[in-house]
Amino acid sequence: MTAKPQFKNRYGLRDQIERAAVSVSNNIAEGFERGTNQELPTFLYIARGSAGEVRSMLCLLQRISGICDLEDLESEINSLKAKAESISK
């Protein structure tokens, strides 16, 4: 979604969403690679926090959509919010 033209001049917003999304999978991978049952839950909770950050940014996009010409992304934003929530569970 962040590759779309609506994000062309919104570098900070785009980068924050992308970094948080990448952080989810990276923290899960790091937790598994640590190979201990003690560290895995810590990294899963960090990943869950990153998924929450993604949802928060998507909610922000919905609130500013009228100002920033993002209305046409509404269904995609809703879909991504649902996926981020599912990942958190």
Side-chain angles (χ1 to χ4, degrees):
M1 177 183 75
T2 57
K4 295 189 176 184
Q6 293 91 330
F7 286 90
K8 183 178 179 187
N9 294 319
R10 295 180 179 87
Y11 306 108
L13 188 59
R14 181 189 68 216
D15 291 344
Q16 186 67 25
I17 293 168
E18 290 175 356
R19 280 184 281 141
V22 168
S23 181
V24 174
S25 61
N26 284 345
N27 278 295
I28 293 169
E30 186 172 353
F32 277 107
E33 288 297 318
R34 294 281 177 131
T36 68
N37 289 336
Q38 296 155 327
E39 289 182 291
L40 177 59
T42 300
F43 283 92
L44 292 177
Y45 282 119
I46 294 169
R48 188 177 186 189
S50 294
E53 185 178 351
V54 170
R55 283 195 324 272
S56 173
M57 296 300 295
L58 294 169
C59 288
L60 173 67
L61 288 178
Q62 288 179 315
R63 287 192 299 269
I64 66 171
S65 67
I67 306 167
C68 297
D69 302 322
L70 299 171
E71 298 95 353
D72 55 331
L73 298 177
E74 186 72 26
S75 66
E76 189 170 1
I77 291 170
N78 284 330
S79 174
L80 290 172
K81 278 175 53 180
K83 287 178 184 178
E85 186 173 349
S86 176
I87 288 168
S88 290
K89 293 178 181 178

